[in-house]
Each structure stands twice: as C-alpha cells, then as structure tokens.
Amino acid sequence: MIGCLNTEPPNELIANQSDPDTRMVLEDWRLSNGERVTRLGVALWMRQADDAADAADAAADDAADAADAAAAADAADAAAAADAADADDADDADADAAAFLQILIGDIDMRDGLKVIQIPGYYSGYAATLVGYLRRVAGDEYELLPGARAVYRVGSRRGLSWLAANGPGEDYRLKDPSATPEQIHRLVIRRCIEANVPAWAEYVVMPRI
C-alpha cells in the first residue's frame, strides 16, 4: 500500500505536485494513510443551495404556526406546540450539521469515464457541451483527456440524455478532437451524464488509462 509505513509523503511527490499525475499519486498516498481531502468548496456550494430551500420552508412553517396560534383557544396548548416546534428545529439543525460533515469527509466524487458535460461558455446563459473521457486528478479537480470534442446542435433539440445515449445522430455536429487535456473543476460542471461508449465509439477515441 502506498505510504503505509511513512508519516510524511515523499519529497518527490511534494516537489512535483503541480503535475496532475503526481497529484493523483500524492492523493492516493494520503488516502492510504487515513487522510481525507477536505471538500470545502463542494460543501459550501451545496450548503448555500440547502439554505435557500430551508429559508423557504421556514417561511411556510412560520405562516402555518401563526395560523395555528391564532386558532388555538388555550394558551397552554399554544405554549406546548411552540416547545415542540423548537425541539423539531433543534433536530433539524443536528441533521443539517451531520449532513454537512458527511459532505466534507465523505466520498462524493464523480466516477471517471466517457461523459457528456456542460460547462459555462463565453456569454451569459450560454453553456458549452463537451463529450470526452473525464478523469479525476485530485479533490475536485478533473480533466478532459485529449480527444474530447465540443458538440453543437444543427437540428431538433433532443436533450443531453438522448445525446449521451445515442451519439450525435442527425441533429448534432462535433468540433475537431482536442489535442491536449482540459482542466475542469467540479463546481463549474453544470451537468454530467454517462455516455454510451458503443454509440460514441466512432466519434471519440477512448484513451488507454
């Protein structure tokens, strides 16, 4: 097992960690020694989305609580209901904290493989669609290996799921294959769909990993 008898990573890995392949080996070493890569960027991004949903839920709960309080004739019953609501809020906070911790330390990485992905384009609201072999480098860093191709629509809009399953067909065209890897961070990927390898075999050359 890599690094199982050492407490510090080899100097060669530290000195060359700017190289994607070296970072992959360095992360394998850290994982084999019980270390975890902190997924703070993903965690905060997901927490922000959860907070927006929680705020909407809280507003709805407040409105319901107000209606219940107005309809309650007995003040004691209203107080008991408020205590129960406080207990529920505390339970929700504990559950949120546990979920947040799991995001930070858990294994939530995407799988390597042939993918159809969308990333932000050059103009507001525009998304670039790419198909190619996506490989994780370290943490939230991925790269599209050489041979990836940009996809653009020339016919009916069939959607990414159809595109991933069936290939370009008559409604999509492909740019020339890339000659170099493209570095992509997980947080900029809008959609990522497993591509059907046989359907794309004549269009995208699968790399030898």
Side-chain angles (χ1 to χ4, degrees):
M1 183 180 292
I2 300 174
C4 61
L5 299 179
N6 300 315
T7 57
E8 296 294 335
N11 291 332
E12 307 92 276
L13 296 181
I14 297 297
N16 297 287
Q17 60 182 319
S18 61
D19 174 68
D21 290 331
T22 302
R23 284 205 301 282
M24 294 175 68
V25 175
L26 179 59
E27 183 157 325
D28 286 343
W29 185 95
R30 286 171 171 161
L31 290 174
S32 70
N33 281 271
E35 298 181 26
R36 299 292 302 180
V37 176
T38 299
R39 313 302 299 280
L40 186 58
V42 172
L44 293 179
W45 174 63
M46 295 178 70
R47 184 60 182 269
Q48 184 179 20
D50 288 342
D51 286 345
D54 290 344
D57 291 341
D61 289 342
D62 289 343
D65 290 343
D68 291 342
D74 190 341
D77 289 343
D83 291 340
D86 290 341
D88 288 341
D89 290 342
D91 291 340
D92 290 343
D94 291 341
D96 288 344
F100 187 71
L101 179 62
Q102 185 59 36
I103 290 171
L104 288 175
I105 66 175
D107 185 11
I108 58 173
D109 300 309
M110 299 184 297
R111 295 185 297 273
D112 294 353
L114 187 66
K115 313 280 186 178
V116 172
I117 67 171
Q118 278 194 336
I119 59 175
Y122 294 109
Y123 305 102
S124 176
Y126 171 78
T129 301
L130 305 170
V131 58
Y133 194 93
L134 190 68
R135 179 181 70 166
R136 179 170 176 265
V137 176
D140 293 317
E141 299 176 46
Y142 288 79
E143 65 178 0
L144 271 176
L145 297 186
R149 306 182 71 173
V151 182
Y152 61 98
R153 182 170 59 91
V154 295
S156 301
R157 183 185 297 276
R158 295 185 177 274
L160 293 188
S161 296
W162 185 95
L163 181 67
N166 299 281
E170 297 295 326
D171 294 318
Y172 294 89
R173 295 290 183 269
L174 306 172
K175 298 287 189 179
D176 292 337
S178 63
T180 58
E182 180 171 354
Q183 309 302 314
I184 297 178
H185 196 276
R186 175 179 179 157
L187 293 185
V188 306
I189 298 177
R190 295 183 177 181
R191 295 188 64 186
C192 180
I193 303 174
E194 296 277 351
N196 181 2
V197 174
W200 285 96
E202 64 177 291
Y203 306 103
V204 179
V205 177
M206 291 291 290
R208 296 180 179 179
I209 303 300

